[in-house]
Amino acid sequence: LSGYLGQYQTLSNVPLVFITAIGTITLPVISRALINRDNDRIKESISFAFKVSFIITIPAAVGLMLLSRTAFGVIYPGDPGGYKLLFFGSFITVLMGLIQLQATILQSLNKFYPVIATLLVGIVKIVVNYILIVIPDINIYGAIIGGYAGYGVTALLNIRVLRKTIRRKIPYISLLSGPLAASGIMGIGVYLTN
């Protein structure tokens, strides 16, 4: 089953390529705004980066989830058994994209140590993996549960650090609402036609 984990990770990491590009574009814009002490531009740039990230990762996660069996069958025709990992773990992509972007934004705001500290929370993922993977009924799915736990905790800590750093709230709910609604509609369409 561990071979399926590698296949799952390969497919679920594809959307993160675009998040890297967003981070590359965002970093100098936020750094320039920081130097100019333009707090409104900082918040605007951060909100825009998160919005674009959600526009990419949420529909990708829904698509990966609903088309997991088909994707595995096409890409790994000899052994498509790992589709269940992709089905259950597809939304880890959203958390990974969020963390990747948060780390880039915090670095552009000269906050290197909080990034390192929150990444150390990855120990949560390791511990959860270690505990759950050895349980025969859970097995490799423990890695998925550990991913949600580790990345979820890291994302929440980064949200807190970011809020303290810029002294403003990022409207995550409103940034998520559009991509979630569109992805829901897309998901219904995919489900009905697949």
Side-chain angles (χ1 to χ4, degrees), residues 4-39:
Y4 291 144
L5 184 62
Q7 294 170 344
Y8 148 74
Q9 289 172 334
T10 299
L11 290 174
S12 66
N13 287 339
V14 170
L16 298 179
V17 172
F18 298 104
I19 305 307
T20 301
I22 294 167
T24 303
I25 293 167
T26 304
L27 189 134
V29 172
I30 294 173
S31 294
R32 185 179 313 117
L34 180 67
I35 290 169
N36 294 333
R37 294 191 172 114
D38 187 353
N39 292 332

Side-chain angles (χ1 to χ4, degrees), residues 54-63 66 91 176-190:
F54 293 143
I55 287 171
I56 292 169
T57 58
I58 293 172
V62 170
L66 295 175
F91 279 90
L176 280 165
S177 61
L180 280 173
S183 298
I185 294 167
M186 178 197 81
I188 291 169
V190 168

Side-chain angles (χ1 to χ4, degrees), residues 101-182:
L101 199 53
Q102 288 170 332
T104 301
I105 290 167
L106 287 169
Q107 289 173 24
S108 68
L109 295 169
N110 293 325
K111 297 294 180 186
F112 299 100
Y113 296 113
V115 171
I116 293 168
T118 58
L119 289 177
L120 290 176
V121 175
I123 293 170
V124 169
K125 180 183 180 336
I126 294 168
V127 170
V128 172
N129 285 354
Y130 184 77
I131 292 168
L132 295 178
I133 289 175
V134 297
I135 299 171
D137 290 339
I138 297 175
N139 202 332
I140 200 69
Y141 297 102
I144 301 298
I145 297 166
Y148 280 116
Y151 296 129
V153 169
T154 302
L156 290 174
L157 290 173
N158 280 343
I159 286 170
R160 185 170 180 205
V161 170
L162 190 56
R163 185 183 315 150
K164 280 185 169 184
T165 301
I166 65 171
R167 296 185 188 106
R168 294 176 182 197
K169 281 183 143 182
I170 302 296
Y172 288 101
I173 302 299
S174 64
L175 295 174
L176 280 165
S177 61
L180 280 173

